[in-house]
Amino acid sequence: MIGLAIAALCVIAPLLHLFLSKQPRTQHRVVRILLLYALVIGAGVMGFLFGFIPHVFFPDEAAKAIGWQPSPFQFEVGIHDGAWGILGFLCIWIGGTFWLATGLGWALFMLGATYGHIYQTVTHDNYAPYNFLMIFSDGFIALWLLGLLYLYWRQGGFAREA
């Protein structure tokens, strides 16, 4: 399941980066690297590559994998995912409160998506892989982002970059 792999990559990739880096692992640097990867992978990769592309270019296959019937709303969801995905990728070059806005917006969407997947599972017995398993990946990415945003804020990260 790609969603679970992306969620794991949000944690493993920055830890690998920190392990291989020769720069000191200060608390601020560790949280900053974890947050950057969460934004780029959790919002950028997940939103653009695995939200935008399937819903816009392969809507029938995407709907089937979620356990839905194809819908014209998929195009709108795909454009939405793509917009957030681009914001996630832009976090590579733009920092400061742009990270806060991107992270909060994407986390809110992912919490809503998590609720939707739980609702579909409980009320409609929808255990399709891209419905049921997304509960865990979407929920994790949202909570991971919110936790890292909080830690970064507590360390004065947004003020340092302003």
Side-chain angles (χ1 to χ4, degrees):
M1 171 68 204
I2 197 70
L4 295 174
I6 296 297
L9 200 57
C10 285
V11 178
I12 295 167
L15 293 178
L16 189 60
H17 175 129
L18 290 162
F19 177 76
L20 295 173
S21 174
K22 299 200 186 302
Q23 294 182 13
R25 289 182 205 98
T26 65
Q27 186 178 16
H28 176 74
R29 183 165 182 273
V30 168
V31 171
R32 186 177 192 285
I33 295 292
L34 288 169
L35 178 56
L36 177 59
Y37 275 81
L39 290 163
V40 173
I41 295 171
V45 171
M46 187 76 135
F48 195 81
L49 297 180
F50 299 105
F52 171 74
I53 291 174
H55 283 295
V56 170
F57 297 108
F58 308 101
D60 293 347
E61 294 85 352
K64 183 179 177 185
I66 300 169
W68 294 347
Q69 294 298 315
S71 165
F73 287 109
Q74 285 178 259
F75 182 80
E76 293 177 30
V77 170
I79 296 298
H80 172 270
D81 286 347
W84 283 104
I86 289 169
L87 294 176
F89 288 131
L90 285 173
C91 288
I92 295 170
W93 300 282
I94 305 171
T97 53
F98 184 83
W99 284 15
L100 180 62
T102 301
L104 285 176
W106 184 248
L108 179 61
F109 172 67
M110 294 299 265
L111 287 173
T114 301
Y115 170 79
H117 294 305
I118 291 169
Y119 181 82
Q120 287 292 312
T121 300
V122 171
T123 61
H124 300 288
D125 291 323
N126 182 350
Y127 287 92
Y130 282 83
N131 183 66
F132 179 70
L133 294 177
M134 296 309 285
I135 293 168
F136 306 101
S137 59
D138 290 1
F140 173 79
I141 289 171
L143 296 175
W144 182 242
L145 266 173
L146 290 172
L148 291 171
L149 287 167
Y150 175 76
L151 290 174
Y152 197 63
W153 171 77
R154 288 283 304 197
Q155 294 176 350
F158 298 113
R160 287 182 186 183
E161 294 184 25

